[in-house]
Amino acid sequence: MTPSRPTSAVAGLYAIHAVNVAFPLITLPYLSRVLGPKGWGLVAFTQAFAAYLVLLVDFGFTFSATRAAAQAQDDPRHLSEIVSDVWGAKAIMSVVALALCVVAYAAIDAFRSEPALLAGGAATAIGYGCSLTWLFLALQELRPVAVAEVATRLLAVAGIFMFVRQPGHEWRVLAIQGAAAGASILLVLPVAARRVRVVPPTLERSLRMLRDGWSTFVSRGAIAAYTTGNAFVLGLVAPVSSVAFYSGGDRISRGVVGMLNPLNQAMFPRLSSLVSRDRRAAGRVAWRTALLMLALGCVLAVVLTAGAPVIVRFVLGPDYASSAVVLRILAAALPAIALSNALGINWMLAMGMDREFMWIILTAAASNLAAGVLLSVLFAHRGMAVTVVAVESAVAVATIAVLARRGLLPSRNGLPAGPPEPL
């Protein structure tokens, strides 16, 4: 891998991040005002449900398949099989996702009264879940994905401003987002076909791909349970207006901390490759990445805490003053999120510690569900925000403790040579 390729990957990931986070933040002030707290709460509730479905369809392939494809770049036949089998696995999980939508329609009043909203959420979930970003990230060639994302998201933003004009248009938001996700895939498919020879998937290999990605799927699903899925849990026990207030602060917080994700994601395939060749160098890179992420997380936390009232009023409008309290609470979690992403998602998975990471996240998800439901019943949106801070802090501490116990905590001197010792 040439030195310029990680830099190029970071640039491509930041371009993708700009459209995945910045563009929704552009529409957020408009939607929060046009739809009002109730309408925006319904959109946020459905998007949170769709986020679970995205993770189901993606099935952790953002990490497991990226790692496998990055290690198979010099074997075109193996790389082709990986790509086709991931598509086969995603087709299977798409059917499962649609079945869950039928269950949700029968069980949740909001979806029964707004079936078009649920349909739009399903389309959005399958579109994002079937994204090819993982492949281009493994190949360190993200320009095609970045171009497609920018083009389709620009059209989606324009569509929202044109066609979402009043309360009752909530379903149009999800429908437009789903169409944009599907169009992005269609744009990059020809590029992927030129880069990787197309071979038909087999059921046996697709099921094996699902087995191989199980640990990262569980980990990512558990992460969603205490991040993007919190609005869905809150909506089950609190008024829709509380979902709007929480989601407003949460969207701003996640949009800000998300500025760190492209750097983190770009380092993952590099670390995955470097660990197998030079563990000492990999440890030094991971240590520098963790320090940088922690410092940036602290700076962002200070900015959000100090500017919360002004930011919320500017982004969401005067009807969302309660979101400022949520934003200030969530800001306290930013340093922990930055550190656990660098050492957990980035370093532990690159080291092949999928199961250890999975158990940390599963414990966090269970704690989040129990505490989140209780505190949401008692304190609504404020209670959910406090839960997030507590759980994110616990994840960071647990990650450091597990790595230290294994002697795998990265440092400026790197790591000793040899594979990780079993517990």
Side-chain angles (χ1 to χ4, degrees):
M1 181 183 300
T2 64
S4 62
R5 290 179 72 179
T7 302
S8 175
V10 172
L13 283 168
Y14 268 106
I16 295 170
H17 176 74
V19 297
N20 285 344
V21 175
F23 283 9
L25 286 178
I26 291 173
T27 60
L28 180 56
Y30 177 76
L31 292 175
S32 64
R33 290 167 171 83
V34 169
L35 300 178
K38 182 179 178 180
W40 168 240
L42 281 173
V43 171
F45 179 71
T46 307
Q47 288 175 330
F49 176 70
Y52 282 125
L53 298 183
V54 169
L55 291 165
L56 181 65
V57 176
D58 178 76
F59 209 81
F61 294 137
T62 298
F63 293 100
S64 62
T66 296
R67 181 174 58 197
Q71 295 171 350
Q73 291 186 65
D74 298 330
D75 187 345
R77 180 178 178 180
H78 187 205
L79 181 60
S80 295
E81 289 180 351
I82 290 172
V83 173
S84 65
D85 295 339
V86 167
W87 272 103
K90 289 192 176 193
I92 294 171
M93 299 316 297
S94 294
V95 174
V96 176
L98 291 175
L100 288 178
C101 287
V102 174
V103 174
Y105 176 79
I108 299 174
D109 291 339
F111 291 153
R112 282 200 301 273
S113 61
E114 298 283 350
L117 198 64
L118 177 60
T124 300
I126 293 175
Y128 284 126
C130 291
S131 168
L132 283 167
T133 300
W134 67 271
L135 172 61
F136 289 94
L137 177 59
L139 300 175
Q140 299 282 280
E141 298 175 5
L142 281 163
R143 180 177 294 181
V145 179
V147 171
E149 289 286 342
V150 170
T152 55
R153 290 304 185 88
L154 277 172
L155 290 174
V157 169
I160 287 173
F161 283 118
M162 289 175 61
F163 299 113
V164 181
R165 308 302 296 271
Q166 63 188 30
H169 287 178
E170 291 83 8
W171 67 272
R172 298 185 182 185
V173 178
L174 279 301
I176 291 169
Q177 290 176 341
S184 179
I185 295 173
L186 293 177
L187 287 174
V188 298
L189 267 177
V191 182
R194 289 196 298 269
R195 182 64 177 82
V196 180
R197 186 171 63 89
V198 178
V199 297
T202 67
L203 180 60
E204 179 184 0
R205 290 201 310 261
S206 295
L207 292 175
R208 184 171 64 245
M209 188 64 68
L210 290 174
R211 288 196 301 270
D212 292 343
W214 172 253
S215 294
T216 51
F217 162 67
V218 172
S219 298
R220 292 200 73 206
I223 290 172
Y226 66 87
T227 53
T228 56
N230 277 333
F232 180 71
V233 174
L234 180 62
L236 296 176
V237 298
V240 173
S241 58
S242 290
V243 178
F245 296 143
Y246 174 79
S247 295
D250 180 57
R251 294 293 176 90
I252 296 171
S253 174
R254 285 195 287 115
V256 170
V257 77
M259 292 189 294
L260 306 178
N261 290 343
L263 174 62
N264 218 19
Q265 285 180 280
M267 297 308 300
F268 179 73
R270 182 184 178 190
L271 285 171
S272 296
S273 176
L274 198 56
V275 159
S276 63
R277 296 184 288 105
D278 189 342
R279 282 165 47 91
R280 189 174 298 277
R284 288 195 296 267
V285 171
W287 179 75
R288 289 195 296 267
T289 302
L291 282 185
L292 177 60
M293 295 282 285
L294 177 61
L296 292 174
C298 290
V299 171
L300 294 175
V302 171
V303 172
L304 287 188
T305 301
V310 175
I311 294 170
V312 166
R313 186 175 182 84
F314 175 76
V315 174
L316 300 173
D319 293 335
Y320 294 81
S322 294
S323 291
V325 178
V326 172
L327 183 56
R328 275 183 165 158
I329 296 172
L330 292 175
L334 263 59
I337 294 172
L339 190 59
S340 61
N341 282 349
L343 293 179
I345 295 176
N346 217 19
W347 179 239
M348 291 183 76
L349 295 185
M351 291 290 292
M353 299 173 67
D354 299 25
R355 295 184 65 83
E356 292 91 337
F357 184 67
M358 179 186 71
W359 283 113
I360 291 174
I361 300 304
L362 279 177
T363 303
S367 302
N368 179 87
L369 181 61
V373 169
L374 175 62
L375 293 180
S376 294
V377 170
L378 295 175
F379 306 108
H381 45 282
R382 295 177 182 86
M384 183 58 81
V386 170
T387 300
V388 170
V389 176
V391 171
E392 292 287 7
S393 300
V395 169
V397 171
T399 300
I400 293 171
V402 169
L403 287 170
R405 182 184 175 190
R406 294 283 300 273
L408 296 174
L409 195 63
S411 71
R412 69 175 65 195
N413 296 320
L415 292 176
E421 294 296 330
L423 287 173

